[in-house]
Amino acid sequence: CAFGGQVSSVDFYVLGVLQSIQAYGAQSPRQWLRTGASVTLTAIGKYEGGGLRNITQEVTWTSRDPDIAIATNEDGKRSRIVGIDGGQARVFAADPVTGILSNDAPVIVLGDLVSLEILGTIDPTVIPLDALRYFSVRGVFEHGTLNLGIVGDEYTLESGDPAVLEVLGSFVRGVSAGI
């Protein structure tokens, strides 16, 4: 490129032929699904000569376990996977031009909520007067457990007797003696 006596250049990398696809699934607990919820996956294409490129929206996604999770393949959200029922689904990407298939990416669907567990940092059954104690909530689902606070789920702690125990978000404070 030249302009006004100044010359500049840039190097371009030309991708070769697609060699393989790596699919990345919902591996962290933040990406685990409840029934009806969705997550998006990622597909990275590896090309001849070593180049890598995100091809998530160019591939077709398929679940090997459609009773657990389905791939919607919507325009603009091709990698959207929706949880149908509890379990672990195997989802893969396919290049429609070459037919190259990716690895199976795991998608964990927790299933229905069975119960909640309240977890404290210290013996949760004893709270001194004016002491603050932190509590978190763990959901026990048909196919696993999940600390609800790490995924942004909303839950509310409530006191059966606010004159004895005051709730302040995820903290509680002993107000007066009692149960």
Side-chain angles (χ1 to χ4, degrees):
C1 175
F3 178 76
Q6 297 292 320
V7 177
S8 181
S9 68
V10 64
D11 293 327
F12 290 95
Y13 182 83
V14 179
L15 291 174
V17 176
L18 181 65
Q19 299 292 306
S20 64
I21 302 170
Q22 177 70 42
Y24 295 93
Q27 297 175 8
S28 81
R30 292 179 189 275
Q31 297 171 317
W32 293 351
L33 300 178
R34 295 227 200 110
T35 303
S38 66
V39 68
T40 56
L41 306 184
T42 301
I44 302 296
K46 182 176 180 183
Y47 291 83
E48 182 179 49
L52 300 175
R53 189 167 71 85
N54 185 327
I55 58 173
T56 300
Q57 297 302 315
E58 300 167 31
V59 295
T60 301
W61 294 86
T62 304
S63 173
R64 294 187 195 279
D65 307 286
D67 55 324
I68 297 171
I70 59 169
T72 63
N73 285 298
E74 302 165 50
D75 286 340
K77 295 187 252 176
R78 293 190 64 81
S79 67
R80 181 172 175 259
I81 309 301
V82 178
I84 301 299
D85 197 6
Q88 180 170 313
R90 299 160 297 150
V91 179
F92 67 94
D95 180 59
V97 176
T98 64
I100 293 174
L101 303 179
S102 75
N103 58 297
D104 286 344
V107 175
I108 296 171
V109 182
L110 293 169
D112 293 330
L113 181 66
V114 175
S115 65
L116 296 172
E117 297 175 348
I118 298 174
L119 309 170
T121 55
I122 302 174
D123 181 1
T125 61
V126 178
I127 299 173
L129 286 176
D130 287 327
L132 280 177
R133 295 287 189 258
Y134 173 79
F135 289 89
S136 62
V137 176
R138 179 184 322 173
V140 178
F141 297 86
E142 290 176 312
H143 295 277
T145 62
L146 183 63
N147 289 339
L148 298 180
I150 66 169
V151 292
D153 286 317
E154 294 296 321
Y155 59 84
T156 303
L157 296 177
E158 295 180 359
S159 173
D161 188 349
V164 174
L165 186 70
E166 178 183 25
V167 176
L168 306 161
S170 292
F171 291 88
V172 297
R173 182 175 72 86
V175 177
S176 65
I179 297 177

